[in-house]
Amino acid sequence: MTDDTTDQLTTDLRGLDLAAFHRWYDGERPGDLGADLRGRFLAGGKSNLTYEVTDGTTTRVVRRPPLGHVQATAHDMGREHTVMSALAGTAVPVPQTYAMCRDTDVLGAEFYVMELVRGTPYRTADQLAEIGPEATGRLAGAMVDVLAALHQVDPASVGLEELGRPQGFLERQVRRWARQLEGSSSRELPDAETLVTRLREHVPAGDAEAVRAGIVHGDYRLDNLLADPARVGSEVLAVVDWEMATLGDPLTDVALLLVYDRLSTITGGAAVADASRAPGYPGPDAILERYAAGGGLALDTLDFHLGLAYFKLAAILEGIHFRHQQGQTVGAGFDGVGEAVPTLLAAGLDATRSLV
């Protein structure tokens, strides 16, 4: 993860007991970290919690689920650890992993330890403005190239053939995110029922036979990459946040990337990011063209995939909104998240009008 944060080092960290962590980690990798540990919360994520831990010489990153209300199928630390470990050595850059803890008695939840990648997660147009339009265009192009490279990886070749069931993937995604939204919603969202009904009735032909099957990141966007724009030709240093990775239809990644880029125009950008507003950032047609040229999957109609992406993102943000209402979020920037959900659902209905 990045060290690009102004948070001060502190031993008072919600969700991370440094003494308990060190006792466990020293048993897994003796001597890797000294006993006098300090840590800091790495801001930027609105879901899983990420911490930098150091003994003053060696630094590691600890990642665990959020505090409080957590959906049963979400925040899978073991999945993140498995996927990043498997992708090491492929054309998809990932942090090195060091250890996985499934004993929830240590920190109150499963967690894993990985390399500190000294890159920046570019989230806002202001950040990109500092590097200029040319570097922004290169970085966005590298982002698309890495996604195309991921979708070319044969799951069996890296030991991920059991990561998921690609048959019926899209139909299960509709069910999953409907369940997630229902489990986290604290208010009436009438467009949600309309959109989920439309998606259920128009799952693309071929889903049951998994005619398109590959590794799906599940949350691919610019600020889930750690980058260094000065490294021309290898701007993306690492892809992170693999908690929703699975085997399925990779075009869901493409559609979600396009939806993330639209957020700044349909919600004002406050909910997640507004990087797509930066000068030099490519539009949707250029992204799709770059993806296809980079060896990505054939792009047929994306209407269903876009509708699913809007619905999925609405469900994710509603869960974050719910935890924020309960006082169970860590960090700042949560106040406007809930306002984006109805707008996303309406955009999903608009994207899928051709299906009815």
Side-chain angles (χ1 to χ4, degrees):
M1 296 297 293
T2 180
D3 65 348
D4 181 26
T5 175
T6 58
D7 290 357
Q8 296 298 310
L9 290 171
T10 175
T11 56
D12 183 17
L13 299 167
R14 293 179 65 193
L16 176 62
D17 182 330
L18 285 174
F21 164 76
H22 187 262
R23 285 193 297 270
W24 172 82
Y25 187 63
D26 202 48
E28 296 292 313
R29 299 182 71 92
D32 188 53
L33 287 173
D36 186 18
L37 294 184
R38 295 169 294 164
R40 63 179 174 181
F41 171 68
L42 294 179
K46 290 182 169 60
S47 183
N48 292 320
L49 304 181
T50 309
Y51 311 85
E52 176 186 319
V53 175
T54 183
D55 60 8
T57 301
T58 301
T59 302
R60 299 289 180 248
V61 168
V62 178
R63 189 157 156 88
R64 58 151 293 162
L67 308 176
H69 173 77
V70 175
Q71 291 283 348
T73 58
H75 314 291
D76 191 336
M77 298 295 94
R79 181 172 295 262
E80 284 201 346
H81 181 266
T82 295
V83 173
M84 290 194 298
S85 300
L87 290 174
T90 70
V92 182
V94 290
Q96 180 179 349
T97 55
Y98 294 108
M100 172 73 207
C101 180
R102 297 191 178 276
D103 183 357
T104 59
D105 289 337
V106 179
L107 294 183
E110 293 185 353
F111 64 93
Y112 67 89
V113 186
M114 65 179 175
E115 170 191 12
L116 174 69
V117 176
R118 297 190 181 278
T120 299
Y122 284 89
R123 180 176 181 271
T124 68
D126 287 344
Q127 282 180 296
L128 292 174
E130 293 179 3
I131 67 174
E134 183 179 349
T136 294
R138 288 201 316 269
L139 176 56
M143 169 188 69
V144 177
D145 292 345
V146 170
L147 183 61
L150 170 65
H151 294 165
Q152 293 177 63
V153 174
D154 175 13
S157 72
V158 293
L160 292 178
E161 63 272 19
E162 301 299 325
L163 184 64
R165 294 177 295 127
Q167 295 81 8
F169 170 73
L170 295 175
E171 186 273 332
R172 290 196 308 277
Q173 282 284 291
V174 175
R175 281 193 284 114
R176 174 186 177 179
W177 294 109
R179 187 167 59 246
Q180 293 281 95
L181 184 60
E182 181 180 359
S184 295
S185 182
S186 58
R187 52 186 171 160
E188 293 294 322
L189 295 168
D191 281 349
E193 183 176 350
T194 305
L195 180 54
V196 75
T197 298
R198 185 175 296 175
L199 292 172
R200 283 171 176 157
E201 293 176 350
H202 295 90
V203 175
D207 179 52
E209 293 78 28
V211 296
R212 285 187 297 253
I215 301 172
V216 176
H217 179 279
D219 196 25
Y220 196 85
R221 62 182 193 263
L222 188 61
D223 62 323
N224 274 341
L225 311 179
L226 301 175
D228 181 356
R231 295 183 55 167
V232 177
S234 57
E235 290 86 353
V236 177
L237 305 181
V239 183
V240 294
D241 290 7
W242 293 89
E243 65 175 293
M244 290 187 283
T246 189
L247 300 186
D249 185 341
L251 291 187
T252 54
D253 276 342
V254 179
L256 188 60
L257 177 59
L258 297 179
V259 166
Y260 273 125
D261 284 351
R262 280 206 63 203
L263 274 183
S264 61
T265 61
I266 65 175
T267 69
V272 178
D274 69 348
S276 61
R277 288 185 171 186
Y281 194 97
D285 290 343
I287 286 176
L288 294 176
E289 182 178 349
R290 178 90 179 222
Y291 176 80
L297 275 70
L299 295 166
D300 46 20
T301 176
L302 287 176
D303 292 353
F304 173 89
H305 295 82
L306 288 169
L308 177 59
Y310 280 115
F311 184 71
K312 173 180 175 176
L313 189 53
I316 292 171
L317 295 186
E318 185 68 10
I320 294 170
H321 171 68
F322 183 94
R323 291 197 301 276
H324 182 57
Q325 287 185 314
Q326 304 299 310
Q328 295 169 341
T329 49
V330 178
F334 297 94
D335 292 343
V337 167
E339 298 174 7
V341 174
T343 306
L344 288 168
L345 293 171
L349 288 176
D350 186 61
T352 56
R353 292 193 189 280
S354 65
L355 302 180
V356 296

